[in-house]
Amino acid sequence: MAIRLTDVANEAGVSLATASRVLNGSARKPAAEISDKVRAAAEKLGYFPNAQAQALARASTKLVGLVVRDIADPYFSTIARGVQRGLGDSGTQLLLASTDSEPEREIEAVKAFMSQRTDAIILSGSRGHSEDEGLLRLIGNYQENGGQVVVIGQPLASTGGIQVDNQATAENLAGELIRAGHRRFVVLAGDENLLTSRHRAQGFLAKLKRTGLAAMEVVHGAFSREGAYMAMSDYLRERTPEESGQQVCVFCVSDVMALGAIRAIRESGLRVPEDIAVVGFDDIPTLEDVTPAISTARLPLEEIGRWAGEMVLSHGDARKTVVTGTPVLRESSELRTENR
């Protein structure tokens, strides 16, 4: 027979309400002597508190929801690991939802976390040009009822979070490549409707323009490994014989896209970086296993996740932190000998 809270109260000789306050974490604390009696009775009978009852007693579920675009992308899995670190030993559990880049699924995930009465929701992933009114209404309702919202990427008007300065980071990366001697660039710009890919491409192109340069091609496509593979394949098929004899530096607006571009280059019988140099953005952990080592802009992804987790614990909804990445040049962008 299941042991009930009533049984614990009877064993300890206290009221049901008192037993509940002790075991379910209420802000109203009975005297230490009474609390000890209740806990001893619970241990003797083998009683385990009900999580839902605990949540009602302390107005907290100790649950945090994390919404990401694609959990298979190392960018997001690294951030998720950081969030877990940020929550530390607080006893808070992390719930995860992946949207596969579909706005409707993001709204569904937020609704699901609201129904589970999570204490906070962390949204990680690029936003579109205009803010979704349905999502904003949901978030507003959630906040009015005491929920916290932290956004990683581009914070919404009513939230705090960690904003990545993608444009400035891309400008700095372009500057380093120019200083290294590159003059011919192609940009795999991803989905121009996503702010992340748009700002990264804009920053890179702006730096080229200020230096008196221009990209040979700007190719749009899906903000994914497969999207970059297709975009790179199209570019290689259509480039002129004159372009084919020159080393080109291809800037991909994410590391995952850089991996797709490299696959297309190798399938075409070309070499990286001797024929085509490749540069990514993010510095995801899996780059350590790639040959040649890929040049990129390093973002502290795990730290970004950790800061978001800590922000939840400190109830820092209104606080915004801006992060700028660091250019890291490796073998994949080495200049061909005759171009030096």
Side-chain angles (χ1 to χ4, degrees):
M1 185 179 68
I3 302 299
R4 301 169 300 168
L5 185 59
T6 304
D7 300 322
V8 175
N10 291 337
E11 177 70 22
V14 299
S15 69
L16 180 61
T18 297
S20 177
R21 292 190 190 105
V22 173
L23 297 177
N24 291 325
S26 171
R28 295 177 59 189
K29 300 291 184 184
E33 182 181 350
I34 295 175
S35 296
D36 290 342
K37 286 175 62 178
V38 172
R39 293 192 186 96
E43 184 176 354
K44 176 183 176 182
L45 297 176
Y47 174 81
F48 294 95
N50 180 280
Q52 291 180 326
Q54 287 183 323
L56 288 170
R58 63 175 178 245
S60 170
T61 59
K62 289 284 188 177
L63 296 175
V64 170
L66 172 62
V67 184
V68 300
R69 187 174 63 87
D70 180 7
I71 191 56
D73 187 330
Y75 176 96
F76 294 106
S77 57
T78 304
I79 286 176
R81 183 172 62 192
V83 172
Q84 188 71 65
R85 278 185 56 203
L87 296 175
D89 58 359
S90 65
T92 301
Q93 297 299 310
L94 185 64
L95 307 179
L96 184 64
S98 182
T99 69
D100 291 329
S101 305
E102 297 179 16
E104 297 80 8
R105 292 190 65 177
E106 183 176 42
I107 289 177
E108 290 172 5
V110 171
K111 286 180 177 179
F113 287 148
M114 290 173 67
S115 69
Q116 294 176 66
R117 300 181 68 249
T118 56
D119 297 330
I121 297 173
I122 301 173
L123 301 175
S124 178
S126 182
R127 318 222 67 78
H129 293 314
S130 57
E131 295 182 345
D132 188 300
E133 291 299 323
L135 178 64
L136 290 178
R137 283 195 296 271
L138 269 180
I139 287 174
N141 179 265
Y142 179 69
Q143 290 172 316
E144 287 172 6
N145 285 282
Q148 295 183 77
V149 178
V150 173
V151 180
I152 297 173
Q154 298 94 21
L156 299 169
S158 62
T159 71
I162 297 93
Q163 178 177 349
V164 177
D165 193 339
N166 288 301
Q167 188 155 336
T169 302
E171 289 180 18
N172 294 339
L173 179 58
E176 286 298 310
L177 292 167
I178 293 167
R179 278 189 284 276
H182 286 284
R183 295 295 181 269
R184 290 180 290 275
F185 295 94
V186 170
V187 176
L188 298 193
D191 185 350
E192 59 185 335
N193 293 316
L194 290 177
L195 289 178
T196 294
S197 52
R198 185 182 186 188
H199 288 167
R200 291 177 180 184
Q202 286 178 338
F204 197 90
L205 294 169
K207 181 62 177 181
L208 296 186
K209 184 176 181 180
R210 288 200 301 273
T211 316
L213 300 171
M216 299 167 62
E217 296 278 352
V218 177
V219 186
H220 293 282
F223 188 49
S224 66
R225 181 172 181 165
E226 191 63 25
Y229 171 78
M230 295 174 66
M232 192 73 228
S233 299
D234 290 343
Y235 165 73
L236 292 173
R237 279 194 300 269
E238 296 170 4
R239 66 178 183 159
T240 66
E242 181 182 352
E243 290 174 339
S244 300
Q246 300 174 327
Q247 185 190 33
V248 174
C249 182
V250 176
F251 168 57
C252 306
V253 294
S254 78
D255 288 337
V256 170
M257 289 184 65
L259 295 174
I262 288 174
R263 175 185 158 206
I265 292 166
R266 287 177 172 160
E267 287 185 3
S268 298
L270 300 173
R271 300 165 298 166
V272 177
E274 293 84 356
D275 300 312
I276 299 180
V278 176
V279 180
F281 197 116
D282 292 324
D283 201 24
I284 57 177
T286 48
L287 290 193
E288 298 174 3
D289 303 323
V290 178
T291 302
I294 298 177
S295 298
T296 188
R298 175 181 294 154
L299 295 176
L301 299 176
E302 189 166 337
E303 291 302 291
I304 286 172
R306 180 174 64 81
W307 295 331
E310 291 174 348
M311 199 173 288
V312 165
L313 296 182
S314 64
H315 304 278
D317 289 82
R319 182 156 51 92
K320 289 185 174 70
T321 300
V322 180
V323 176
T324 303
T326 305
V328 180
L329 300 193
R330 301 185 177 115
E331 296 171 13
S332 72
S333 63
E334 287 182 355
L335 205 63
R336 202 158 65 189
T337 305
E338 62 265 32
N339 293 336
R340 292 177 178 172

